[in-house]
Amino acid sequence: MPLFTVFTPTRDRAHTLPRVHASLERQTFRDFEWVVVDDGSSDGTAELMAGRQTESPFPVRYFHQEHGHKKTAFNRGVREARGDLFLNLDSDDELLPGALETLLRHWLAIPETERTGFSAVTGLCVDEGGEVVGDRFPTDVLDCHPAELLYRHKVRGEKCGFQRTDVLRAFPFSEDVRGHVPEGVVWSAIGRRYKTRFVNEPLRVYHREPGSIMAGGPASRNADGLALWARDVLCGDWRWFFSDPFWFLRMAANHTRFRLHLRKAEMGGRWPLRGLVPRLLAAGMWPVGLVRYLLDRRGS
């Protein structure tokens, strides 16, 4: 079995998938498989992948499904994965040649007795010009929970790394959510239990391509997942309020905003808040959430 599963969810990206494949061919560490889950493409992706499965110097496994958004494609990829370490690589991106080797080196540098408390190693992304995208980490090697990285160290922007496959299987995306589910819902749940090793080494080239399997749409279409995300932030992270009060106030308003969309769709009982502080935050920002909802309706 391979050590790494490199997973690519795709939809109508036959024109960019060869770039992903080429970057995998250049990897200096070769113990990996490439799992591609096609979320309902109609652009020749199946024919392209059939050729890659025949010609590729590493295992390529391709699965087609009816369109169900990235949440279902991601869960399928995790179920099918044979590797212990799972790296998500979108269909418009590419790995730098030493990325897998770098990730493994840092993973093995974590003492074996401590490794069960970690789920991931995460590094940096660069753009097509080689410039780092987003913020660097405050030290070259940093071990902490992701919430601490976000709220205490104020690190934001595109990053790249792997998660343990067994951890991802324990924290799947909710497939009963209508529309898109923000990835932060899953990453935050994992991050509250496990640490990540963050390293200041570039691993992925981030290409800005129009359209995406992650593409959203009108607020009403994705209100279910966005209300879930707002609830997750308010209930799971509220103790960090004073580190970034604007963010929490925004999410409090969004919880009202998107639940009003759900109420109109006769789904208003979903994602209620738990705990006194989250409820107080939502109550205080209720007028702002109402205004945002009305603006959504006006613009639709």
Side-chain angles (χ1 to χ4, degrees):
M1 294 297 177
L3 179 61
F4 282 96
T5 291
V6 178
F7 164 68
T8 298
T10 189
R11 187 171 189 237
D12 292 334
R13 286 300 183 89
H15 62 292
T16 61
L17 285 170
R19 182 170 64 201
V20 181
H21 183 265
S23 78
L24 296 178
E25 285 187 306
R26 294 191 292 268
Q27 288 304 300
T28 56
F29 182 78
R30 308 296 292 183
D31 188 12
F32 68 90
E33 64 173 353
W34 188 30
V35 171
V36 177
V37 176
D38 181 350
D39 191 50
S41 293
S42 58
D43 67 343
T45 293
E47 292 77 10
L48 172 73
M49 292 305 302
R52 291 297 187 271
Q53 286 178 294
T54 301
E55 303 164 3
S56 182
F58 50 83
V60 176
R61 300 168 62 220
Y62 170 75
F63 304 92
H64 182 276
Q65 65 177 32
E66 296 301 316
H67 178 48
H69 296 276
K70 187 176 181 180
K71 59 180 184 285
T72 62
F74 194 95
N75 287 348
R76 176 76 180 274
V78 171
R79 289 195 302 270
E80 299 289 350
R82 294 173 178 165
D84 293 331
L85 307 176
F86 188 95
L87 188 150
N88 181 80
L89 184 65
D90 285 344
S91 55
D92 53 359
D93 291 331
E94 60 182 308
L95 284 183
L96 291 172
L100 295 180
E101 184 175 351
T102 297
L103 287 167
L104 179 59
R105 171 166 50 85
H106 284 290
W107 180 243
L108 295 179
I110 301 171
E112 189 172 358
T113 56
E114 301 175 18
R115 216 173 288 157
T116 56
F118 286 77
S119 68
V121 175
T122 296
L124 303 174
C125 295
V126 295
D127 62 20
E128 293 128 296
E131 295 295 320
V132 171
V133 178
D135 302 322
R136 291 180 177 270
F137 305 116
T139 59
D140 285 342
V141 177
L142 174 66
D143 294 340
C144 68
H145 293 278
E148 183 180 356
L149 182 79
L150 175 64
Y151 298 120
R152 177 172 295 164
H153 298 294
K154 314 295 185 185
V155 174
R156 291 173 172 79
E158 285 287 322
K159 301 293 182 282
C160 176
F162 69 78
Q163 291 278 349
R164 283 167 37 196
T165 304
D166 63 323
V167 171
L168 289 173
R169 286 177 177 149
F171 291 86
F173 282 87
S174 298
E175 296 192 12
D176 63 343
V177 176
R178 180 184 296 181
H180 168 61
V181 178
E183 292 185 0
V185 174
V186 170
W187 305 147
S188 295
I190 293 173
R192 292 181 190 119
R193 181 168 177 179
Y194 295 97
K195 289 183 179 180
T196 293
R197 172 156 288 191
F198 298 100
V199 299
N200 274 327
E201 296 193 48
L203 302 173
R204 188 185 81 180
V205 180
Y206 174 62
H207 293 271
R208 293 176 172 86
E209 294 275 346
S212 169
I213 190 175
M214 292 292 296
S220 58
R221 183 187 305 166
N222 294 294
D224 200 15
L226 293 170
L228 168 61
W229 187 30
R231 187 192 72 167
D232 181 74
V233 169
L234 293 173
C235 294
D237 294 346
W238 65 264
R239 293 168 183 81
W240 293 97
F241 174 83
F242 290 106
S243 297
D244 194 349
F246 178 79
W247 168 249
F248 285 94
L249 293 175
R250 176 184 173 186
M251 296 305 278
N254 278 346
H255 186 259
T256 294
R257 171 190 178 188
F258 296 122
R259 288 195 84 209
L260 288 171
H261 281 292
L262 292 177
R263 182 181 298 177
K264 187 174 186 299
E266 299 182 353
M267 300 169 62
R270 288 167 69 81
W271 319 126
L273 294 174
R274 304 181 302 271
L276 178 61
V277 174
R279 290 173 180 170
L280 288 174
L281 289 172
M285 294 300 292
W286 192 90
V288 178
L290 174 62
V291 170
R292 294 297 306 277
Y293 165 73
L294 293 175
L295 289 174
D296 290 340
R297 292 289 309 280
R298 184 178 179 181
S300 61

